Short mmCIF file of all heavy atoms in Angstrom, two decimals:
data_model
loop_
_atom_site.label_atom_id
_atom_site.label_comp_id
_atom_site.label_asym_id
_atom_site.label_seq_id
_atom_site.Cartn_x
_atom_site.Cartn_y
_atom_site.Cartn_z
N GLN A 451 -4.48 15.20 -5.89
CA GLN A 451 -5.51 14.21 -5.43
C GLN A 451 -6.79 14.97 -5.15
O GLN A 451 -6.71 16.21 -4.81
CB GLN A 451 -5.03 13.62 -4.08
CG GLN A 451 -3.73 12.64 -4.28
CD GLN A 451 -4.10 11.42 -4.89
OE1 GLN A 451 -4.57 10.49 -4.19
NE2 GLN A 451 -3.91 11.24 -6.20
N SER A 464 -12.37 5.01 7.77
CA SER A 464 -13.81 4.93 7.40
C SER A 464 -14.15 5.79 6.21
O SER A 464 -14.84 5.45 5.35
CB SER A 464 -14.66 5.26 8.66
OG SER A 464 -14.56 4.28 9.58
N LYS A 474 -21.05 7.01 -6.07
CA LYS A 474 -21.11 8.35 -6.46
C LYS A 474 -19.61 9.09 -6.35
O LYS A 474 -19.34 10.09 -6.98
CB LYS A 474 -22.03 9.21 -5.59
CG LYS A 474 -23.45 8.78 -5.92
CD LYS A 474 -24.49 9.56 -5.00
CE LYS A 474 -25.92 9.09 -5.31
NZ LYS A 474 -26.93 9.92 -4.52
N THR A 503 -7.17 -6.57 23.30
CA THR A 503 -6.49 -5.31 23.49
C THR A 503 -7.26 -4.39 24.41
O THR A 503 -8.42 -4.58 24.52
CB THR A 503 -6.06 -4.68 22.13
OG1 THR A 503 -7.38 -4.48 21.49
CG2 THR A 503 -5.36 -5.58 21.33
N VAL A 514 -23.09 0.36 13.18
CA VAL A 514 -23.10 -1.02 12.56
C VAL A 514 -23.66 -1.07 11.24
O VAL A 514 -23.08 -1.60 10.20
CB VAL A 514 -23.80 -2.03 13.49
CG1 VAL A 514 -23.98 -3.36 12.85
CG2 VAL A 514 -22.97 -2.24 14.80
N ASN A 588 -9.22 -1.67 -3.86
CA ASN A 588 -8.01 -1.41 -4.69
C ASN A 588 -7.99 -2.52 -5.84
O ASN A 588 -7.64 -2.35 -6.94
CB ASN A 588 -6.74 -1.29 -3.99
CG ASN A 588 -6.51 0.09 -3.42
OD1 ASN A 588 -7.00 1.02 -3.91
ND2 ASN A 588 -5.88 0.13 -2.29
N PHE A 591 -10.66 -1.61 -8.38
CA PHE A 591 -10.56 -0.40 -9.18
C PHE A 591 -9.22 0.02 -9.59
O PHE A 591 -8.95 0.92 -10.30
CB PHE A 591 -11.08 0.73 -8.40
CG PHE A 591 -12.60 0.58 -7.99
CD1 PHE A 591 -12.96 0.45 -6.69
CD2 PHE A 591 -13.56 0.57 -9.05
CE1 PHE A 591 -14.40 0.29 -6.40
CE2 PHE A 591 -14.88 0.42 -8.69
CZ PHE A 591 -15.29 0.27 -7.46
N ASP A 595 -6.06 4.12 -6.80
CA ASP A 595 -7.33 4.79 -6.62
C ASP A 595 -7.30 5.11 -5.00
O ASP A 595 -7.97 6.18 -4.67
CB ASP A 595 -8.57 3.85 -6.89
CG ASP A 595 -8.87 3.97 -8.39
OD1 ASP A 595 -8.36 4.94 -9.01
OD2 ASP A 595 -9.69 3.25 -8.88
N PRO A 616 -4.75 22.93 -0.74
CA PRO A 616 -3.62 22.84 0.17
C PRO A 616 -2.63 21.80 -0.29
O PRO A 616 -2.96 20.80 -0.96
CB PRO A 616 -4.40 22.23 1.46
CG PRO A 616 -5.89 22.52 1.14
CD PRO A 616 -6.08 22.62 -0.20
N LEU A 620 5.27 15.81 3.33
CA LEU A 620 5.61 14.70 4.24
C LEU A 620 7.08 14.87 4.70
O LEU A 620 7.86 15.55 3.93
CB LEU A 620 5.31 13.27 3.78
CG LEU A 620 3.95 13.12 3.20
CD1 LEU A 620 3.78 11.63 2.85
CD2 LEU A 620 2.88 13.50 4.27
N PHE A 696 -13.16 -2.53 31.36
CA PHE A 696 -13.58 -1.54 32.28
C PHE A 696 -13.09 -0.08 31.88
O PHE A 696 -12.03 -0.02 31.17
CB PHE A 696 -13.11 -1.83 33.74
CG PHE A 696 -11.76 -1.47 34.06
CD1 PHE A 696 -11.33 -0.25 34.50
CD2 PHE A 696 -10.81 -2.44 33.81
CE1 PHE A 696 -10.07 0.00 34.76
CE2 PHE A 696 -9.44 -2.17 34.08
CZ PHE A 696 -9.01 -0.96 34.56
N LEU A 799 -12.97 18.77 9.02
CA LEU A 799 -12.43 18.10 10.18
C LEU A 799 -13.49 16.97 10.61
O LEU A 799 -14.69 17.13 10.56
CB LEU A 799 -12.26 19.02 11.35
CG LEU A 799 -11.43 20.23 11.13
CD1 LEU A 799 -11.44 21.13 12.37
CD2 LEU A 799 -9.99 19.81 10.67
N GLY A 814 -17.58 8.82 21.93
CA GLY A 814 -16.44 9.30 21.24
C GLY A 814 -16.29 8.83 19.74
O GLY A 814 -16.37 9.65 18.80
N VAL A 869 -23.14 16.67 37.33
CA VAL A 869 -24.25 16.25 38.23
C VAL A 869 -23.82 15.02 39.11
O VAL A 869 -24.15 15.07 40.29
CB VAL A 869 -25.54 15.97 37.45
CG1 VAL A 869 -26.57 15.33 38.44
CG2 VAL A 869 -26.13 17.26 36.82
#
Side-chain angles (χ1 to χ4, degrees):
Q451 293 285 277
S464 289
K474 296 181 179 180
T503 57
V514 170
N588 278 330
F591 298 116
D595 276 350
L620 307 184
F696 77 91
L799 305 176
V869 166

